[in-house]
Amino acid sequence: MERAVPHAIPLGQMEVFQALQRLHMTIFSQSVSPCGKFLAAGNNYGQIAIFSLSAALSSEAKEESKKPVVTFQAHDGPVYSMVSTDRHLLSAGDGEVKAWLWAEILKKGCKELWRRQPPYRTSLEVPEINALLLVPKENSLILAGGDCQLHTMDLETGAFTRALRGHTDYIHCLALRERSPEVLSGGEDGAVRLWDLRTAKEVQTIEVYKHEECSRPHNGRWIGCLATDSDWMVCGGGPALTLWHLRSSTPTTIFPMRAPQKHVTFYQDLILSAGQGRCVNQWQLSGELKAQVPGSSPGLLSLSLNQQPAAPECKVLTAAGNSCRVDVFTNLGYRAFSLSF
Amino acid sequence: MSSESSKKRKPKVIRSDGAPAEGKRNRSDTEQEGKYYSEEAEVDLRDPGRDYELYKYTCQELQRLMAEIQDLKSRGGKDVAVEIEDRRIQSCVHFMTLKKLNRLAHIRLKKGRDQTHEAKQKVDAYHLQLQNLLYEVMHLQKEITKCLEFKSKHEEIDLVSLEEFYKEAPPDISKAEVTMGDPHQQTLARLDWELEQRKRLAEKYRECLSNKEKILKEIEVKKEYLSSLQPRLNSIMQASLPVQEYLFMPFDQAHKQYETARHLPPPLYVLFVQATAYGQACDKTLSVAIEGSVDEAKALFKPPEDSQDDESDSDAEEEQTTKRRRPTLGVQLDDKRKEMLKRHPLSVMLDLKCKDDSVLHLTFYYLMNLNIMTVKAKVTTATELITPISAGDLLSPDSVLSCLYPGDHGKKTPNPANQYQFDKVGILTLRDYVLDLGHPYLWVQKLGGLHFPKEQPQHTVIADHSLSASHMETTMKLLKTRVQSRLALHKQFASLEHGIVPVTSDCQYLFPAKVVSRLVKWVTIAHEDYMELHFTKDIVEAGLAEDTNLYYMALVERGTAKLQAAVVLNPGYSSIPPVFQLCLNWKGEKTNSNDDNIRAMESEVNVCYKELCGPRPSHQLLTNQLQRLCVLLDVYLETDSHDDSVEGPKEFPQEKMCLRLFRGPSRMKPFKYNHPQGFFSHR
């Protein structure tokens, strides 16, 4: 474990405050740069840190390589979601989306390229944006979060084109079904809804908590994570992690994981999931647990696979959550090291 | 026989058979006057070589005749006897010759021996003479060298140089004409002059001595005069005291203090001077005094002669006591330790008066052999304090000044040179003695002007006024803040132990009007116990749980829910906030490792503490944090999502006004209280 060794130097007021901040930091989102060499991480204080994966993975990596290259205050509130286009880093937090140029981001005093706020219904409380989704075919961005709607924004003009309503409680996660194209959204109300982007209508609804095999009432009904692979969808959260066949809306495999999962993704022929509990879980499609690899945070909130073709040497899985550390897995079998804010 | 007859005829022949020869000699004397036959003279005339030839011939003849006689005798016959007789007579003649030759040989031998003997005697005589002469020569040479080496006393005297001599000496002594030529006379003259000079100088010396005596007497007289003056001046000062008091100018008192200050060791002196200056210039609440025995301080600097006398006395005593047992090694070591840790008899006392009439008494000591200063602290309040159980350590003299500056725990000696001294007497660390001696905090050394730089160890560290001056103001302010915050905590603890969180009216706006959760317990826990708790691991690993901190456990309850809060109080409270770690027992055990909302609650109290500080000097921080904790527990319990499968109503109905119950990927509860609207929202 790469925990910090207790300090030998006396701690003044500033050091104590910084230590407390680090202890209570949560990293909500990660995003890999288009060149594949850098990783951006956003935390609950609204800061974004850029780590150099290529430096940390190189053979001459020192302790400083595991620290961010640059850290800046991006938002006032927590940065819940980030996504990268081929030139920009888009980060979303308290109610607005900001864009940063990857080429400029390493320079000090970097300013956002633009910021946009979708039209909200209420003004009493600014709703958070929990999920960002890029739709490459349309060159648009979908945002979803606290106001229970999905907003689409055209990336070229910056205009908000559609608002998809249907959820009764706030939206946690989004997933894109490439072929159709359809968007899946999972929310606090316990339903996974499929939306057709061309018609802007809800096509299908799966109320996960109503299925007895996967519902777990003591955890709640909220859907925390979604991933889809054309015909199949895996979702988790309050109910158990389940693999669904979309056309028939039936749960095919239930993964025996007690802790609620906060992030799930398809990878090759495996399903990777992470949530409450230290480990990154690797599942076979049949429902068997292939491996559980412990990380350094007591709970994980986001997983990121660096599959950028430009940097094959930086092909790693990074996991972050309830700590100031980002675990780096070079090989899915074990945690190699941790980057730290 | 015939040989004897020949002997009779030659009485002068000296033979080895004694007496008859002598008799013969007497007769020879009488015959001497007539004709005498000197064979000795004959020896000189004859040639030895020819005698030798004759001897050989005679022997041959004898042999021949013997052989012929032999022949004739063996032949026998008539003529034989005549022939034999003839030959016998011839052989007798030959025998005679042989005898003569023998005598001659003997005489020659004797003569030779005599001559040799004479010569030898002569040689011996010469030899003796030679030895005698040589011996005398040597003796004389020794004498000569002795004479040559002789240094007369006059050469040891450094005489003035020749030029000077001729210049200075009066002519009747120098006598230049005579002395120039004759070195002996010159030396004599110089010696004369030397004597003359010495006489003169001796005269001068006697005069000076008598002068000195006179002057000494005068000094004595004047001293007596002055000493008689002193009591008169004293009486004048005494008389002026009432006037001083009347005019509020206690010069006398200050004067006395400065008097005693002269005997202070340098670091204490620096402290005294700087503190007095600061007190007069900036801070009227600071008062400085010197305590201790001045006589003992003076005794430290006794002159060496006295100590020698003491030594001789103690030697005498020791001889008497050698019969008694010597002190054991342990006692000796103990004594050595005590000696090393000895304090200077004088100490400086600083009294800091705070606004609420409580006073911080600081007594500063100087350890002479270790060259460090220590301090003992005591807090007295205007009114008697009833100490609540948990507040035991707050104002205790041992810990009230701990970590005034971060990391300055005062348990280790700040002087690196002390370690070597400690090794000699077996002291491991000063920690064991701090209760007795006081704490050697770094700021104390700085106030005394002592600086111990780690990079360049210096042999002697001397007290520096500028160092003391630069630290005085900050330290005094910190000390005051420390005392006041501790006193505030003291009062607060008394209330907390009774289960009431004392929130002052000017902090009431931070909290909603109705707070249901109650504080039921507030106790101190030991450092080790804190480290053992399962939910405090993160704080320990982050290095925030040192042994200089104070640890407490608070218990907040509402209904069946019990919230444990482990609190780390840094000595630097309230500029360094207390750190809370929570463990909730309700429907299972929830800590920050398995419940994101507990983590958020900790964050609300630990990270967002600045809004809880309250008005300066922010003594309300801890109580506000505790009150916020109660509010957070209320929110947590009331916003718990209802489990549809379980029957029955919720244990805690929602009374708080919240816009949304959950937000964000981690589904946070609304912990932030908004004033004055009174609703809860998310950060």
Side-chain angles (χ1 to χ4, degrees), chain B residues 48 128 240 251 319 402 461 618:
Chain B
L128 267 174
S240 76
F251 283 128
E319 287 171 18
S402 167
V461 178
S618 61

Side-chain angles (χ1 to χ4, degrees), chain B residues 39 53 66 82 133 143 157 173 226 301 386 409 417 441 450 492 538 589:
Chain B
E39 264 189 337
E53 294 295 319
M66 289 298 136
V82 172
L133 285 171
E143 292 289 307
I157 309 171
I173 297 185
L226 281 175
F301 294 101
I386 308 166
H409 49 69
Y441 295 113
L450 294 170
Q492 289 165 356
D538 292 336
E589 191 184 80

Side-chain angles (χ1 to χ4, degrees), chain A residues 217-276:
Chain A
H218 55 276
N219 277 344
R221 51 167 87 161
W222 50 280
I223 303 295
C225 52
L226 262 185
T228 176
D229 186 18
S230 59
D231 289 328
W232 301 91
M233 173 199 73
V234 63
C235 70
L241 190 67
T242 328
L243 181 64
W244 295 77
H245 184 240
L246 278 174
R247 227 168 336 109
S248 55
S249 301
T250 45
T252 47
T253 324
I254 296 171
F255 299 94
M257 187 77 211
R258 285 185 59 209
Q261 301 296 289
K262 298 267 174 71
H263 192 106
V264 71
T265 178
F266 283 94
Y267 175 62
Q268 292 174 351
D269 58 345
L270 295 170
I271 291 176
L272 303 172
S273 78
Q276 203 175 67

